[in-house]
Structure formats: C-alpha cells, structure tokens
Amino acid sequence: MGDSTSPFISITSRVIQGSCIGPLLFILYVNDIADLFTNSCLCKLYAVDLKLYTSVSTVIDLENLQSSLNCLVEWSRIWQLKISQTKCSFLYINGVTNSYNVDLLFGDDKFATVDSVKDLGITVDGELKFSKHIGNIVVHAHA
C-alpha cells in the first residue's frame, strides 16, 4: 500500500514510418472510416489521404456535408488520430460557387476554399482543367 508507483500504465505504441507492415496496420486502423458517410457524401481513401465528394444543389447538401465532417471530427477524436486541418481545403467544381455563403467547419476551424488543389501530384482546378498543372511542369522544366 505504501507503493508510490501509479496504478495506471501508459503504453505508447506506434509503427515506425517506412516499415513494411505500417501501411497494412494503418489501413486496418482506419478501415471503418468510410462507414461514417451517407450515400450523399462519397469517401475515397488512398494511403493516408481522404477525399469527400458530394453534389451541391441546395443549402441542404452543404448541411449534409457539414454533418459528414462533424462525424469525421468525432471519429478522429475517438480514435485519437489527428487530422491535419491545414492540409484540408474545399474546391467547388464545374462553375459551382458558394452562393449560399455557408462556411464549412472542421471542428472549430474553417475550411479554406481554393481555386485549385494538388491531388496525388496533379494540380486540378474547379473546371477540371490541367492548365495550372502543365504550367507548373513547364516552370520546373526551365529551372
């Protein structure tokens, strides 16, 4: 009884980056994340990237997207997997604009609305054209 050691043991575990089993363990860990989203919000996973897609025709579509983001925030809290909000952004495609003036939030942080995004090394704009990507290649080729 006079023992000064804590009855709680803290175990810190992780997989060494670059290990052979790391990607498999990560996939097993996040496997249920796709189940969070309804049919109106599609989820794509690739390695450590997650993309959410939805069609926005009404403000209700944006509210459904926000609901999906809220589920993702709660999932990350429960599973203690920090999501880098600074790497998150929102891109309107096909000339759709934020005419509803609805800000999408990830927890307390507002998503940045961007005019182009780099996805798996390819820069794509809201018109699904590759002009910026080609321009970046040309600039790097001349350097």
Side-chain angles (χ1 to χ4, degrees):
M1 291 278 173
D3 189 1
S4 63
T5 60
S6 171
F8 301 103
I9 298 173
S10 175
I11 298 175
T12 303
S13 62
R14 65 181 124 181
V15 176
I16 298 171
Q17 189 172 0
S19 69
C20 295
I21 198 166
L24 176 62
L25 292 174
F26 181 79
I27 289 168
L28 291 172
Y29 194 74
V30 301
N31 188 44
D32 67 330
I33 201 167
D35 298 336
L36 296 175
F37 311 109
T38 64
N39 292 335
S40 66
C41 192
L42 300 174
C43 164
K44 302 292 183 197
L45 295 166
Y46 181 79
V48 297
D49 290 335
L50 168 78
K51 311 283 187 280
L52 293 179
Y53 301 89
T54 192
S55 177
V56 176
S57 301
T58 66
V59 71
I60 293 171
D61 296 327
L62 286 171
E63 290 170 357
N64 289 337
L65 178 57
Q66 183 61 63
S67 177
S68 293
L69 291 170
N70 294 342
C71 289
L72 181 59
V73 168
E74 181 63 12
W75 181 92
S76 70
R77 186 193 63 75
I78 290 169
W79 290 103
Q80 299 175 15
L81 186 65
K82 184 174 178 355
I83 296 175
S84 179
Q85 293 134 337
T86 58
K87 293 182 180 180
C88 298
S89 59
F90 189 70
L91 174 68
Y92 287 98
I93 296 177
N94 274 348
V96 175
T97 60
N98 189 1
S99 58
Y100 305 109
N101 292 321
V102 173
D103 291 329
L104 292 172
L105 302 174
F106 192 82
D108 296 328
D109 297 321
K110 184 176 138 179
F111 270 100
T113 301
V114 296
D115 61 351
S116 66
V117 65
K118 194 168 189 176
D119 187 25
L120 300 175
I122 298 175
T123 305
V124 180
D125 66 14
E127 297 298 320
L128 298 179
K129 295 184 179 174
F130 299 97
S131 305
K132 287 188 178 188
H133 181 71
I134 293 168
N136 289 338
I137 291 173
V138 170
V139 165
H140 287 93
H142 288 295

